[in-house]
Amino acid sequence: MRLILLGPPGAGKGTQAKILVEAYGIPQLSTGDILRSAIAAKTPLGLEAKAIVDRGDLVSDAIVNGIVSERLDAEDCKPGFILDGFPRTIAQAEALDLMLVEKGVKLDAVIEIKADADVLVERVINRAKESGGARADDNEEVLRKRLNVYQEQTAPLVAYYTDEGLLRAVDGMEPVEQVTAAIKAAIEG
Ligand code: AMP
């Protein structure tokens, strides 16, 4: 099973990916997690990516394409994978299509987890109020930035994968279990 989870930040891609890992026995491939690990370990990649990730912008296509191509060659990706947070631009989607042709494999589905941007921001503001402090405001600002980046650069992938006949949309505002059920139905149905 080869899947892409598409959706704005905070929609639940990571949560659903972890559940699907258990259900299908295939790895989650999160470019955000890989970048965060590199940043924490202060590797050359991490040092290059830190400021970009911190302000909510996208790391260059060349960097993330390289990360994904290498990761897809690992043995654990042979039976399949769940891409979480990649692709995020049309150029990344095109690069992925090429990689998959080269590796001789095909995507099964692209799951769009739909979520209302206003509700996502509201959740973060409420969390900020509960915890208090200035840092939470920074988070809200960065989240708004990431939502804008999503609208401008990632949302066009919905049309891209609709054209490829791969897109399945689910309502990400439902409870976690219901979203999982909808994803499984979209994949298996
Ligand atoms: P995520 O955990 O998927 O929300 O990613 C966190 C941050 O990592 C993003 O805001 C970007 O700065 C960076 N990032 C993750 N995946 C990508 C990608 N496919 N292309 C560019 N930047 C990415």
Side-chain angles (χ1 to χ4, degrees):
M1 181 76 68
R2 297 179 191 85
L3 299 175
I4 292 175
L5 296 184
L6 193 63
K13 296 188 299 293
T15 302
Q16 293 299 329
K18 285 183 177 66
I19 296 169
L20 297 170
V21 162
E22 295 302 316
Y24 296 112
I26 50 177
Q28 171 191 12
L29 207 167
S30 158
T31 41
D33 283 351
I34 293 170
L35 288 167
R36 276 185 289 276
S37 301
I39 290 167
K42 296 194 165 65
T43 64
L45 165 66
L47 293 173
E48 193 178 342
K50 185 177 181 344
I52 302 168
V53 172
D54 282 356
R55 66 172 186 262
D57 275 325
L58 294 185
V59 174
S60 79
D61 292 335
I63 288 181
V64 287
N65 291 344
I67 292 173
V68 171
S69 177
E70 196 176 308
R71 184 66 187 83
L72 287 178
D73 284 334
E75 198 55 36
D76 65 334
C77 289
K78 292 272 169 337
F81 50 78
I82 301 159
L83 281 168
D84 159 14
F86 179 94
R88 259 181 159 91
T89 64
I90 294 284
Q92 291 178 19
E94 289 170 349
L96 176 65
D97 278 347
L98 275 180
M99 281 177 224
L100 296 177
V101 168
E102 278 168 19
K103 296 174 204 304
V105 296
K106 283 203 162 89
L107 290 170
D108 291 286
V110 176
I111 308 292
E112 181 199 4
I113 305 181
K114 284 173 136 352
D116 183 334
D118 292 338
V119 177
L120 297 178
V121 172
E122 203 176 299
R123 277 185 194 167
V124 171
I125 294 171
N126 285 336
R127 248 182 270 160
K129 277 190 199 140
E130 280 161 24
S131 61
R135 204 183 138 195
D137 288 331
D138 291 344
N139 286 346
E140 186 198 331
E141 196 182 317
V142 173
L143 177 71
R144 284 190 192 277
K145 173 69 181 285
R146 293 170 68 206
L147 286 166
N148 283 339
V149 169
Y150 181 83
Q151 276 315 317
E152 285 170 13
Q153 305 204 51
T154 310
L157 295 180
V158 170
Y160 183 92
Y161 286 117
T162 301
D163 287 349
E164 289 196 355
L166 290 169
L167 197 87
R168 317 271 184 275
V170 302
D171 179 1
M173 304 318 287
E174 297 289 337
V176 171
E177 301 75 31
Q178 251 165 274
V179 178
T180 306
I183 293 174
K184 287 185 176 172
I187 297 168
E188 293 161 15

